[in-house]
Amino acid sequence: MNDQHKGRMTRDGIRIHEPADFAGMHRAGRVAATILDDIAEHIYPGQTTGEIDRLIEEKVEAADAKSATIGYRGYQHASCISLNHVVCHGIPGDKKLKGGDILNIDVTVIVDGWFGDTSRMYVAGQLPRKAERLIQVTHDALFKGIEAVRPGNTFGDIGHAIQAYVEGHRMSVVRDFCGHGLGRVFHAPPNVLHYGRPGTGAVLEEGMFFTIEPMVNLGRPETKVLADDWTAVTRDRSLSAQFEHSIGVTSEGFEIFTLSPAGRFHPTYSQG
Ligand code: MF3
Ligand code: CO
Ligand code: CO
């Protein structure tokens, strides 16, 4: 066995990590989550997504971490910022936020070689009622998926829990993007689908690390990628939301590596 990669691989190519590896993932996850906590005060009408990204890059450096996205397949930013009908992989730029805009901010950092990947929803100004419903359902769908994480369950159980919940609220689950294994790499097997049938797919084992990151649309599930080759939008231009946690499978169930230290994963805005 190679010392740098203790643990083993399943038949599906999913790495089984050692108990000691959980600490590294918790450190990386905490840095990413703290950045998302601290960026909340910078989200307001008139702010640009480029400035938000610049502040995130500063916070990554201040934490002695590295951005996993800068230089990843040519991507040049420390975050993805996905506004309104943008499903994911929105590129920060000069565009100013307007009151009532909703946005997902997705940050991945590397700390001591471990990857922490998380995203959550924010609003500029007042949150519109139908966006509030979409965001709540998307958040709760992520947790339906997380609650299906335990040894012996399958990835299909996770996808099914998410899909059933979302469709029960007459919203749709995006099929074109999925969660992923991670650890000492950004994207590894398996593809974590946010839809599926119970009992199908690979069986979960203690020591697996992966993200769950459902994208939910108010309209139809279809997406298209814009000419910039990154930005994915809903084909019908309906509003889309996403939440993401990085998770590890334990003997009892799961640990969330990207929990918000400030308890602000959702809502990120004040309620009432
Ligand atoms: N953080 C995204 C994910 O959840 C990936 C972003 S890749 C980028 O997997 F290059 F677009 F930043
Ligand atoms: Co991810
Ligand atoms: Co992400």
Side-chain angles (χ1 to χ4, degrees):
M1 195 193 293
N2 173 338
D3 258 9
Q4 290 223 290
H5 295 285
K6 287 214 192 104
R8 62 184 179 82
M9 209 84 125
T10 69
R11 279 185 309 183
D12 310 284
I14 304 170
R15 179 166 295 284
I16 304 300
H17 298 84
E18 304 272 290
D21 297 341
F22 281 74
M25 289 299 285
H26 276 291
R27 287 198 306 275
R30 169 177 288 265
V31 168
T34 300
I35 290 169
L36 290 187
D37 285 347
D38 294 346
I39 204 65
E41 65 184 276
H42 300 284
I43 314 300
Y44 47 79
Q47 174 69 290
T48 69
T49 56
E51 174 64 7
I52 296 166
D53 181 70
R54 195 190 63 74
L55 290 164
I56 289 171
E57 187 173 348
E58 247 176 43
K59 291 174 191 301
V60 172
E61 280 160 22
D64 276 319
K66 263 194 57 181
S67 166
T69 53
I70 296 174
Y72 176 78
R73 299 184 179 211
Y75 195 77
Q76 295 183 349
H77 307 275
S79 63
C80 296
I81 303 184
S82 302
L83 272 186
N84 298 328
H85 72 295
V86 178
V87 172
C88 62
H89 301 163
I91 302 176
D94 296 336
K95 197 175 160 128
K96 282 192 166 73
L97 298 177
K98 298 191 306 305
D101 280 349
I102 61 166
L103 51 153
N104 173 278
I105 304 182
D106 190 338
V107 170
T108 311
V109 298
I110 313 170
V111 176
D112 297 332
W114 296 101
F115 285 69
D117 185 4
T118 181
S119 79
R120 49 177 103 147
M121 296 301 295
Y122 300 81
V123 62
Q126 276 288 119
L127 183 60
R129 184 55 58 85
K130 69 176 186 181
E132 180 173 9
R133 224 182 123 246
L134 169 68
I135 290 171
Q136 187 68 47
V137 167
T138 308
H139 171 271
D140 293 350
L142 167 60
F143 277 85
K144 295 290 177 192
I146 291 174
E147 282 158 19
V149 175
R150 76 180 70 98
N153 274 9
T154 70
F155 282 94
D157 293 330
I158 297 173
H160 176 76
I162 293 167
Q163 181 181 15
Y165 187 77
V166 168
E167 292 179 355
H169 286 83
R170 300 170 164 280
M171 298 179 194
S172 65
V173 174
V174 168
R175 314 293 205 263
D176 300 337
F177 300 91
C178 57
H180 49 93
L182 83 175
R184 287 195 178 277
V185 292
F186 196 171
H187 293 113
N191 286 332
V192 179
L193 305 183
H194 304 115
Y195 58 94
R197 295 203 320 280
T200 63
V203 177
L204 300 179
E205 293 183 44
E206 183 179 355
M208 289 180 176
F209 297 166
F210 52 87
T211 73
I212 307 179
E213 48 183 297
M215 287 138 275
V216 174
N217 300 346
L218 274 184
R220 295 196 48 84
E222 291 81 11
T223 70
K224 68 174 178 192
V225 175
L226 300 186
D228 61 23
D229 265 352
W230 281 105
T231 311
V233 300
T234 55
R235 274 195 177 272
D236 64 5
R237 296 210 133 229
S238 67
L239 222 46
S240 187
Q242 180 179 27
F243 285 87
E244 176 176 25
H245 267 318
S246 298
I247 281 154
V249 183
T250 65
S251 60
E252 299 295 309
F254 59 85
E255 282 177 16
I256 301 177
F257 298 129
T258 44
L259 279 177
S260 162
R264 312 186 58 163
F265 185 68
H266 174 71
T268 55
Y269 36 87
S270 55
Q271 273 177 314

